[in-house]
Amino acid sequence: MQLVLVRTVTGLEWLAAEELAVAGHRVVEVGKRQVVVEPASESIAGSPPRLADDLFVVYAAIADPGHTKAALAGAADELRRVLESPGDRSTFAVSASCVGVRNFNRYDVEDLVGEQLSHLTGGRYHSRRQGVAPPDERSEWRVVLDGKTLWVALRPYAVPLHRRTWRQQTVRGSLHPPVAAAMARLADLAPDHNVVDPFCGAGTLLLEAHQLEPQAEYVGLDHDPAAIAAARANAAGRRMQWRCADTRRLTTGADRIITNPPWNRRVQIGDLAPYLRAWRRVLDGRLVAILTPEQATRLGRGWRVQARYDVTVAGRHPVIVVAEVSRG
């Protein structure tokens, strides 16, 4: 069985590894934005981890050549020796990333690997060096230099995993779906739970939660009618409730609150304190929220924080907080 690279959001690596282990796959190593997996079966491609940004099947792994351009060029011979052919002769592109300081750039890596793949497969390599986007109909290879290993892997899908099929509409501040999936796992959902999102936006969090536990009751609230309309469109065919509401006056009881409040950047809400007081009144269970570091400091008196996960999303550095109401 070939190894698989599971690419993740920064900060979700170990949560993704846990999801993979629970599914029966063997986690080989965990690195920055990446989990290397020995899959239990080929079904990993058909049932990929929800926390994955993307997934690639490994066709070559050699020692990381280091930081010099000359050493990178010298890796070509080793790649030719070990690189396996996927039997794909189509047009393809290569996307590369490197950990650490190098005196070469991503395009040097992409072109070196692209040339080797073109020679091996007979496919047509499309370089990104000149800023020209590759054609839509293409295979996508991924190269990662992680400081120990140079990985060469192929995406078995037409598009990245984070592009959910249900996501037909978005609104400002819509959450990245793998982050929403991580929050749903952290919520520890059960079939009899009433799950509320007081800032549901286009429904991303509750739709990822529904994927994990479809028997729970889901209520999405938002002050913006356009957001509610987007959520209803995304949730087509699913038994979920969506309502306009000012959640500073929340009355809906909840076993779980999973939410992504505005971060006072693209969308403004001002002080989070009135919302936190409303959540404390109605919550009989767990809160999972993604907050700015400043907002997270408001979870002080009245809340018992159980876990924090610092993540990187859209160039920002929010924190996922798991907490319960402190009644003492």
Side-chain angles (χ1 to χ4, degrees):
M1 185 67 65
Q2 289 173 290
L3 293 178
V4 168
L5 297 185
V6 173
R7 301 291 294 174
T8 74
V9 166
T10 298
L12 296 185
E13 297 92 345
W14 286 100
L15 289 174
E18 180 182 272
E19 180 189 14
L20 288 156
V22 168
H25 307 297
R26 187 174 79 86
V27 175
V28 176
E29 63 179 58
V30 180
K32 181 178 174 58
R33 294 202 62 192
Q34 178 169 285
V35 183
V36 182
V37 180
E38 184 180 294
S41 69
E42 294 181 359
S43 66
I44 190 172
S47 300
R50 302 295 296 179
L51 274 63
D53 242 23
D54 217 344
L55 182 150
F56 299 86
V57 178
V58 174
Y59 283 86
I62 65 174
D64 188 319
H67 70 280
T68 69
K69 200 167 186 177
L72 176 66
D77 290 339
E78 179 69 3
L79 273 178
R80 278 193 293 272
R81 187 179 69 81
V82 304
L83 191 58
E84 301 178 39
S85 174
D88 186 354
R89 299 174 61 87
S90 64
T91 298
F92 67 91
V94 180
S95 180
S97 62
C98 307
V99 173
V101 177
R102 316 274 176 156
N103 72 0
F104 50 83
N105 60 39
R106 56 171 286 193
Y107 303 114
D108 297 324
V109 179
E110 291 169 2
D111 288 350
L112 179 140
V113 174
E115 290 167 7
Q116 302 308 314
L117 287 167
S118 184
H119 176 77
L120 177 67
T121 66
R124 178 176 175 272
Y125 167 56
H126 184 100
S127 175
R128 289 184 167 94
R129 186 180 290 272
Q130 302 305 321
V132 178
D136 291 338
E137 297 298 322
R138 69 179 188 275
S139 300
E140 187 73 31
W141 289 81
R142 180 78 183 187
V143 183
V144 180
L145 285 75
D146 65 9
K148 297 187 300 181
T149 305
L150 185 157
W151 302 94
V152 180
L154 176 66
R155 179 192 291 139
Y157 316 105
V159 296
L161 279 178
H162 64 79
R163 295 187 189 175
R164 306 298 206 233
T165 56
W166 57 259
R167 199 176 209 193
Q168 302 301 307
Q169 298 186 28
T170 61
V171 296
R172 285 189 304 165
S174 287
L175 190 61
H176 193 54
V179 177
M183 293 173 65
R185 286 185 63 84
L186 290 169
D188 191 24
L189 301 170
D192 61 346
H193 280 163
N194 185 34
V195 185
V196 177
D197 182 353
F199 293 99
C200 70
T204 303
L205 268 164
L206 293 189
L207 284 161
E208 287 296 322
H210 184 274
Q211 182 74 24
L212 186 64
E213 179 46 79
Q215 299 305 313
E217 296 289 332
Y218 294 100
V219 179
L221 307 170
D222 202 286
H223 77 283
D224 184 0
I228 294 299
R232 285 178 176 146
N234 287 333
R238 297 172 177 84
R239 187 174 58 84
M240 308 174 79
Q241 299 179 50
W242 309 99
R243 299 197 302 269
C244 280
D246 179 351
T247 56
R248 288 170 295 188
R249 291 183 281 274
L250 186 64
T251 58
T252 303
D255 300 296
R256 297 290 186 269
I257 291 178
I258 313 176
T259 194
N260 171 31
W263 299 347
N264 287 320
R265 291 183 173 90
R266 296 181 66 190
V267 181
Q268 299 289 322
I269 62 163
D271 189 1
L272 192 62
Y275 300 95
L276 291 172
R277 288 194 292 269
W279 302 349
R280 287 188 72 250
R281 287 196 301 269
V282 302
L283 180 61
D284 184 19
R286 181 173 294 186
L287 166 71
V288 183
I290 184 165
L291 308 169
T292 67
E294 296 79 12
Q295 289 173 332
T297 62
R298 304 307 299 265
L299 282 172
R301 185 177 180 182
W303 294 93
R304 182 170 60 253
V305 175
Q306 299 173 316
R308 292 170 54 105
Y309 300 87
D310 296 307
V311 297
T312 300
V313 183
R316 305 290 184 181
H317 304 285
V319 57
I320 297 173
V321 178
V322 182
E324 292 185 352
V325 175
S326 176
R327 302 297 184 188

